[in-house]
Amino acid sequence: MSVKRLLRVAVEGCCHGELDKIYDTIKHLERQSGKTIDLLICCGDFQAVRNMDDLECLACPPKYRALNTFWKYYTGQATAPYPTLFIGGNHEAMNYLWELYYGGWVAPNIYYLGHAGVIKFGGIRIGGLSGIFNGSHYKQGHWERPPYDNSSMRSAYHVRELDVYRLLQIHRHLDVFLSHDWPRGIAHHGNKSQLFRAKPFLQREIEDGSLGSPPAERILHELKPAHWFSAHLHVKYAAVVPHGAPQQTQQERGQKRKSPRRGPSPPPGLGRGAGKGQQAAVKFTKFLALDKCLPRRSFLQVVEFPDVEGPLEFQYDEEWLGVLQTTHHLMSLNRQQVPLPGMGGNRSAVPNAQLDSLREELQQNNNGTVPHNFVRTAPGHDPSKPKPRGRMPRSSPRNPQTEQFLDMLGLPYNLDQQQPQTHAVASSPGSPLQGVAVDETVAANPEEIELDEDGLDDEDKASAEALERTAEAAKQDMADDDGMFHAESLHHYSGSTQAAPDSIMEAHARQTAHADSKGDLPAALAAVLEGPNHHHGDADAQEPTGTV
């Protein structure tokens, strides 16, 4: 009989391949607090770059492309000290992530949730959607394939309607949902004035309703997860989203009709029309966005899940497997997507008989634990060799993990984007590949066009050099701070969910004021210790939203 326990999850914003620094930060926090982290979640821009060729698939200006440290975990030179789960963002080696479209190990102990997915860990259910929204490609199939050009390199990470449709078929409760970009309208549910002080250039887009992802907004209000974590905008921001808001009065409805259309409305249920007898039906999603891994930036938050039971391993979710089975025929590798049932608006529960069958099969197969079947499908970077420019891959091979996953579900492989398909040679993490070669000494491509969209800002690039000293500085000057695990965060709000929404927001305001009254913290990891709405350190340069 399993015993209920407290699950501690470290949530990180944009990773940008800085795994060494993120892991070192968590280790230091564990030593200082004496408390153990069970899982690390990264909210996109993970950059699982294995070699110089993968860098050619990374959508950012070439001058900002860097291997960073993921390759060490891919090759076995280093081992991830914590189970790590991540979704994709808009700076990824999409040629590699395509191999694991349904999810899988990108390195030992590092799991990609897939383009869309739901998985279990430690007794909680985690769903997620990779990429960012772009209306031009939303209703297309997954047509992009290596070798990418400057356009398809970007559109490859744009969210597709099929992946959203699959997530909308989930009916059972989710404890956590992950997205890289924010759901549209989420800023209205938090302290906007504080957000505008940190990122003033966002104000216009928030007010006209163009900031954020409409599909993520729908997932938020349909699935109503307990927690939602995002990144992308390089700022820490918390919000509380009420669901099941009371009906508006006729006067309020009339006022709404007279109001000009300026995007999403402010939080429902927080106005004068919320009567006491109606508040009990309101449920909440606690939203938290985090920054990227740089000094004096709020890139990490620890969230506690009390009274959960389940193994500290990734486990398949039977409802999600049922969704994949029933929607497998809808996959398109062309620009034109397969028509979705109800024009994408249908929400159909997986039949109970199918769920029972999947549940029984998973119980017989190691209780649904995801097998540790990582294999390398391309050589990892060799630091002993010169590092000129790589060469754009010509294809994405079949990953044996994906083949085994589809075989388990009785589904045909459906990710071949070109014929003939080159199969990867499976190998163990510590053994050399046979018959697979990547030339890391190819001269620079004279046809390369430098990208100016989704680039990294110069201020952050300059400060990245200082990050090398972060972990060591933290060990020297950060005092033991138990409050890191009990920060003034909406994710630790202990009030009853029956409380009036206004009281929730008032508590939020009090917490924000308390955070703003704090004195300066040690520079190395001060951002980690602040509440989710506290902006610490030098103000960010005003950068166009396309640079995040």
Side-chain angles (χ1 to χ4, degrees):
M1 183 176 181
S2 57
V3 178
K4 291 187 176 181
R5 64 190 301 274
L6 177 71
L7 183 74
R8 290 194 184 93
V9 179
V11 183
E12 195 273 336
C14 296
C15 174
H16 291 299
E18 299 287 7
L19 283 176
D20 280 358
K21 295 159 187 173
I22 294 169
Y23 289 143
D24 284 347
T25 301
I26 297 174
K27 288 177 182 177
H28 174 75
L29 293 174
E30 284 187 324
R31 288 192 296 269
Q32 292 293 328
S33 67
K35 298 178 180 180
T36 301
I37 301 299
D38 301 303
L39 173 68
L40 169 64
I41 292 176
C42 298
C43 299
D45 284 355
F46 189 80
Q47 296 184 11
V49 176
R50 303 166 292 181
N51 51 50
M52 297 299 290
D53 287 1
D54 282 354
L55 270 184
E56 296 300 302
C57 301
L58 195 67
C60 70
K63 65 180 179 179
Y64 291 134
R65 290 174 181 165
L67 281 170
N68 294 327
T69 58
F70 169 77
W71 64 270
K72 296 195 292 186
Y73 299 87
Y74 177 78
T75 60
Q77 180 174 324
T79 302
Y82 308 94
T84 301
L85 178 69
F86 76 96
I87 56 169
N90 58 312
H91 297 299
E92 307 289 359
M94 292 304 298
N95 60 312
Y96 187 25
L97 296 190
W98 176 255
E99 298 177 23
L100 300 169
Y101 170 84
Y102 297 103
W105 305 104
V106 295
N109 217 27
I110 302 177
Y111 194 85
Y112 173 49
L113 189 56
H115 281 47
V118 178
I119 204 164
K120 300 176 185 176
F121 184 91
I124 64 173
R125 294 183 80 210
I126 305 170
L129 177 67
S130 291
I132 63 172
F133 174 76
N134 183 302
S136 299
H137 304 112
Y138 181 60
K139 290 184 176 290
Q140 296 183 357
H142 288 284
W143 55 268
E144 298 88 352
R145 64 204 63 186
Y148 302 114
D149 59 26
N150 289 326
S151 175
S152 62
M153 189 185 301
R154 294 190 184 101
S155 63
Y157 58 69
H158 289 159
V159 169
R160 297 309 203 265
E161 187 178 23
L162 171 61
D163 301 316
V164 173
Y165 175 80
R166 283 171 163 163
L167 288 165
L168 289 173
Q169 309 315 303
I170 296 296
H171 285 70
R172 295 163 54 199
H173 175 72
L174 290 177
D175 300 286
V176 172
F177 196 88
L178 312 174
S179 69
H180 186 58
D181 51 353
W182 299 13
R184 185 181 62 176
I186 196 69
H188 294 296
H189 299 266
N191 190 329
K192 287 192 292 185
S193 60
Q194 192 170 45
L195 177 61
F196 295 157
R197 288 197 298 271
K199 299 282 186 177
F201 55 86
L202 295 179
Q203 184 168 357
R204 178 185 58 80
E205 295 177 65
I206 290 172
E207 291 179 346
D208 67 20
S210 62
L211 181 73
S213 165
E217 179 187 29
R218 184 181 177 195
I219 292 172
L220 170 65
H221 292 289
E222 294 278 5
L223 302 191
K224 303 175 178 65
H227 299 261
W228 187 298
F229 302 125
S230 294
H232 189 48
L233 295 182
H234 299 167
V235 66
K236 194 171 187 179
Y237 188 68
V240 175
V241 183
H243 302 292
Q247 296 295 319
Q248 292 176 312
T249 66
Q250 182 176 353
Q251 180 182 4
E252 287 173 325
R253 287 195 296 270
Q255 291 174 344
K256 185 175 181 180
R257 284 196 297 269
K258 295 176 184 178
S259 300
R261 183 172 181 82
R262 294 180 61 83
S265 301
L270 299 184
R272 301 185 187 91
K276 291 183 179 179
Q278 298 168 313
Q279 292 161 359
V282 178
K283 297 181 179 180
F284 301 94
T285 294
K286 301 172 185 178
F287 172 85
L288 180 65
L290 291 164
D291 209 327
K292 55 184 170 182
C293 179
L294 283 175
R296 303 178 66 86
R297 305 290 279 267
S298 302
F299 64 89
L300 192 70
Q301 180 84 18
V302 173
V303 181
E304 296 179 341
F305 296 86
D307 299 326
V308 296
E309 51 183 330
L312 297 181
E313 294 183 291
F314 294 114
Q315 293 181 296
Y316 291 124
D317 183 87
E318 61 269 20
E319 186 181 22
W320 179 247
L321 299 184
V323 168
L324 293 180
Q325 286 180 331
T326 57
T327 61
H328 192 68
H329 65 289
L330 299 175
M331 173 65 99
S332 169
L333 301 185
N334 303 312
R335 288 181 181 267
Q336 183 175 1
Q337 72 172 358
V338 176
L340 302 178
M343 300 181 66
N346 282 7
R347 291 197 69 202
S348 303
V350 177
N352 288 332
Q354 185 179 0
L355 285 175
D356 292 340
S357 176
L358 285 166
R359 192 176 295 112
E360 181 179 353
E361 183 177 346
L362 290 176
Q363 288 175 349
Q364 295 174 356
N365 187 15
N366 200 20
N367 202 30
T369 299
V370 176
H372 293 274
N373 56 352
F374 166 72
V375 295
R376 286 187 283 165
T377 54
H381 171 65
D382 185 348
S384 67
K385 294 182 178 179
K387 294 191 300 182
R389 291 280 294 277
R391 179 164 49 192
M392 174 71 71
R394 311 303 295 179
S395 66
S396 289
R398 286 192 178 190
N399 194 299
Q401 294 181 70
T402 301
E403 293 181 306
Q404 293 172 25
F405 177 76
L406 292 175
D407 285 345
M408 178 187 72
L409 296 180
L411 300 173
Y413 190 88
N414 63 346
L415 302 180
D416 284 334
Q417 293 181 311
Q418 54 254 354
Q419 297 293 338
Q421 176 67 45
T422 301
H423 289 255
V425 179
S427 71
S428 62
S431 63
L433 288 170
Q434 299 295 325
V436 179
V438 173
D439 185 357
E440 298 197 21
T441 62
V442 178
N445 181 1
E447 299 179 355
E448 180 70 47
I449 299 176
E450 184 166 310
L451 306 180
D452 58 6
E453 178 182 329
D454 297 331
L456 302 176
D457 52 275
D458 290 336
E459 175 204 4
D460 291 339
K461 182 64 179 178
S463 63
E465 299 175 359
L467 192 55
E468 295 292 345
R469 300 184 295 273
T470 295
E472 185 61 32
K475 297 172 187 177
Q476 296 174 1
D477 68 7
M478 192 177 90
D480 187 358
D481 193 321
D482 183 70
M484 189 278 294
F485 288 94
H486 302 281
E488 286 75 16
S489 165
L490 294 171
H491 291 263
H492 299 292
Y493 178 74
S494 58
S496 169
T497 56
Q498 309 298 323
D502 291 85
S503 67
I504 301 287
M505 300 307 290
E506 289 170 4
H508 177 194
R510 288 195 300 272
Q511 292 167 355
T512 299
H514 177 66
D516 286 340
S517 68
K518 293 181 179 180
D520 290 339
L521 296 173
L525 289 178
V528 180
L529 303 180
E530 298 295 344
N533 281 316
H534 186 77
H535 181 73
H536 188 278
D538 297 332
D540 293 334
Q542 294 190 16
E543 54 191 354
T545 54
T547 65
V548 295

